[in-house]
Amino acid sequence: DVQLQASGGGLVQPGGSLRLSCSASGFSFNEYAVGWFRQAPGKEREGVSCISRDGDNSWIADSVKGRFTISRDNAKKTVVLQMNSLQPEDTAVYYCAAGAMCTTKVDEWFYWGQGTQVTVSS
């Protein structure tokens, strides 16, 4: 049973922080790049960040650069998205995905988690 689980979302005030985790089971996690995407109501799913299979390369969207960081621990089969200085515009459902390589094209990813809600509001 291939499974990706995103967790760590919640309600936070502007300027606050959240730590999202993506945990994997049922496949060779260390053979896949992992990406984070987000989708707000009425909008297309957009790429936020991704990290290569060995963690040597990563990408962060300009909209979150300097505020978000991505890391992975293959021994724990986990990828973490640390989100700091959160803004209302960051409100969305956040999804993690596994695929062959980092890409912003959502249809090129193999596996998807169920998503976790992030709400930034005062």
Side-chain angles (χ1 to χ4, degrees):
D1 180 45
V2 173
Q3 190 171 21
L4 282 174
Q5 185 171 3
S7 62
L11 175 64
V12 65
Q13 292 185 325
S17 298
L18 285 172
R19 182 179 181 271
L20 304 186
S21 295
C22 179
S23 299
S25 63
F27 67 101
S28 299
F29 180 77
N30 62 358
E31 297 293 329
Y32 294 87
V34 174
W36 284 97
F37 295 78
R38 66 186 183 185
Q39 187 167 22
K43 291 189 174 182
E44 296 292 323
R45 191 169 299 188
E46 64 175 350
V48 177
S49 185
C50 70
I51 189 165
S52 63
R53 62 175 63 180
D54 57 8
D56 288 342
N57 299 102
S58 63
W59 171 83
I60 304 175
D62 288 341
S63 59
V64 302
K65 191 170 296 182
R67 301 187 296 118
F68 293 9
T69 58
I70 190 169
S71 61
R72 72 186 295 162
D73 186 337
N74 285 340
K76 297 180 179 180
K77 297 191 291 185
T78 301
V79 168
V80 168
L81 184 69
Q82 178 66 48
M83 307 189 298
N84 300 324
S85 301
L86 284 162
Q87 303 170 4
E89 293 76 23
D90 297 316
T91 296
V93 177
Y94 283 71
Y95 301 87
C96 64
M101 61 185 67
C102 287
T103 174
T104 58
K105 295 181 170 63
V106 298
D107 59 351
E108 294 186 2
W109 293 85
F110 302 146
Y111 309 126
W112 289 89
Q114 85 288 356
T116 184
Q117 176 71 49
V118 171
T119 303
V120 185
S121 176
S122 60

